[in-house]
Amino acid sequence: MAAQQAAGTPATLVVGVPALPSPRSGKAVAPDLTDGGTAHGGLVDSDWEPVLAAIGSASSVDLVCHVLPDGDALGSALAAGIALRSLGIEVRVSFGDDPQIVPASLGFLPAQDLLVPASAVPDRPELLITFDVADVRRLGLLQAKAEAAETLVVIDHHASNGGFGTHLLIDPAAPATAVLVDELLRRLGVPLDVSIATCLYTGVATDTGSFRYSATTPATHELASRLLATGVRHDLISRRLWDTQSFGYLKVLAAALDRAVLDPEAADGLGLVWTWVPWADLVAHGVLPEEIEGLIDVVRKASEAEATLVLKEDPDGSLRGSSRAKGAVDVAAACGALGGGGHAYAAGFTSHDPVAETVARFRAALRAG
């Protein structure tokens, strides 16, 4: 598909800490800046200033997200890429998978001509910015290059992020990394166009579960309103994200549901439902790993369980665990006990133990909040 270009003439790059401009469109409540805060609550002007300066002085910028990117990760990186390209900055967007495959559900995202393989990212980047990466290990093939970067900016909203960069823009209160990218672009003076807005809307919709999760706030809907005002086709985005799957996926889903186990005594009696997907199932039905990321949203509907766990086997036999909770259990803590992390309601980990042992360890780590 042909990549869409950012519309309009290049914006003027503002370096330093500019005065907060008026909202891009519509009406918004003015931010409270009495404590030095910004339009986005958890970060202050002094957090943004060095990042703006680094972008303003960079001749090229590498924008990277985590392996097996979701809509928030890839959408955030591409939105930033479109914006920086409009400022005349050389931009590369990448993620550390080999082969590097954009999930079919995200194939509509614009500006994919900015994507380069991990091998095309310099060994020592001048400025590298990560998006939606809570742990440097989630960069895969790009981890070493990120750690060698002259300047490493981390833009993220995971509470489990320990801070691995030279400049941190981390706000766990943000419902999506895309919200922070919107603030970054506002501070750079880059106006929203339909291409940027499509990427940002995809990020926000993905990480809020189409605005259903508890992290969704009035400000989230205000942002969505501004994005939709550019002409974003939210109906088509939603169809691609949630309502389009291959027949092979349905077969894998059916087998996973048949394996599902309900453990009502887990999580101090709040219940756990879990299942797993062997690599052989994906091979048999021609399904890519990224296609089954949404499987957990089906399993988690069980009313008898507060927590959900889906284990997905990789070719090397390791297991990628995805977990969800409905509010009374902190799955980030449970996943952290297994070497992973994430949000209280959505987290993950990698295990090299057998399925039964992995489930037992996860179960032991679950506690009612």
Side-chain angles (χ1 to χ4, degrees), residues 16-366:
V17 185
L20 291 173
S22 301
R24 289 189 176 106
S25 63
K27 296 180 180 179
V29 177
D32 180 5
L33 302 182
T34 56
D35 62 351
T38 70
H40 200 273
L43 299 170
V44 297
D45 290 339
S46 58
D47 295 316
W48 294 97
E49 180 180 4
V51 175
L52 297 175
I55 292 173
S57 62
S59 58
S60 67
V61 182
D62 290 277
L63 311 172
V64 304
C65 56
H66 59 71
V67 295
L68 294 174
D70 59 9
D72 192 26
L74 188 57
S76 294
L78 287 173
I82 296 170
L84 296 188
R85 179 168 61 182
S86 76
L87 298 174
I89 299 172
E90 180 186 355
V91 176
R92 289 175 292 267
V93 177
S94 189
F95 53 94
D97 288 311
D98 184 19
Q100 186 188 81
I101 300 173
V102 173
S105 62
L106 301 178
F108 65 89
L109 287 175
Q112 292 190 33
D113 61 302
L114 292 173
L115 280 170
V116 301
S119 59
V121 174
D123 291 335
R124 182 174 171 78
E126 176 186 359
L127 170 59
L128 187 142
I129 305 177
T130 70
F131 298 88
D132 205 44
V133 181
D135 188 310
V136 70
R137 293 171 294 183
R138 290 280 286 152
L139 288 171
L141 297 175
L142 289 168
Q143 177 179 345
K145 296 184 177 185
E147 292 174 331
E150 296 178 30
T151 302
L152 175 59
V153 176
V154 176
I155 303 180
D156 187 31
H157 70 127
H158 291 90
S160 61
N161 194 315
F164 55 86
T166 58
H167 300 80
L168 307 180
L169 295 174
I170 303 172
D171 186 356
T177 296
V179 173
L180 301 178
V181 174
D182 174 69
E183 175 70 4
L184 173 66
L185 304 192
R186 189 180 66 81
R187 287 174 172 273
L188 289 171
V190 179
L192 288 175
D193 64 16
V194 69
S195 295
I196 293 174
T198 294
C199 294
L200 294 179
Y201 185 90
T202 299
V204 174
T206 297
D207 266 28
T208 61
S210 192
F211 307 95
R212 292 177 293 132
Y213 297 161
S214 61
T216 304
T217 67
T220 313
H221 286 289
E222 189 276 332
L223 171 58
S225 176
R226 290 192 284 110
L227 298 174
L228 292 176
T230 68
V232 166
R233 288 295 305 273
H234 62 93
D235 55 333
L236 300 183
I237 292 175
S238 296
R239 186 184 308 167
R240 288 291 296 272
L241 290 177
W242 292 291
D243 296 330
T244 304
Q245 297 286 356
S246 68
F247 183 72
Y249 166 82
L250 298 181
K251 302 292 284 186
V252 172
L253 172 63
L257 293 178
D258 191 51
R259 292 189 197 96
V261 175
L262 177 63
D263 182 353
E265 302 305 317
D268 296 332
L270 294 175
L272 167 69
V273 60
W274 67 272
T275 189
W276 76 292
V277 179
W279 178 254
D281 279 14
L282 302 187
V283 174
H285 298 293
V287 174
L288 297 172
E290 56 267 23
E291 292 184 66
I292 63 170
E293 291 303 305
L295 185 152
I296 194 169
D297 293 318
V298 178
V299 181
R300 70 191 293 267
K301 293 180 179 181
S303 61
E304 300 89 344
E306 163 65 24
T308 305
L309 174 66
V310 173
L311 299 174
K312 296 154 286 188
E313 185 181 35
D314 283 335
D316 63 359
S318 63
L319 300 171
R320 287 182 293 111
S322 295
S323 184
R324 298 290 186 271
K326 298 174 182 176
V329 173
D330 183 352
V331 292
C335 290
L338 277 73
H343 305 290
Y345 298 160
F349 61 89
T350 298
S351 172
H352 297 279
D353 296 324
V355 171
E357 184 175 340
T358 300
V359 173
R361 292 176 58 206
F362 180 81
R363 186 188 191 280
L366 277 177

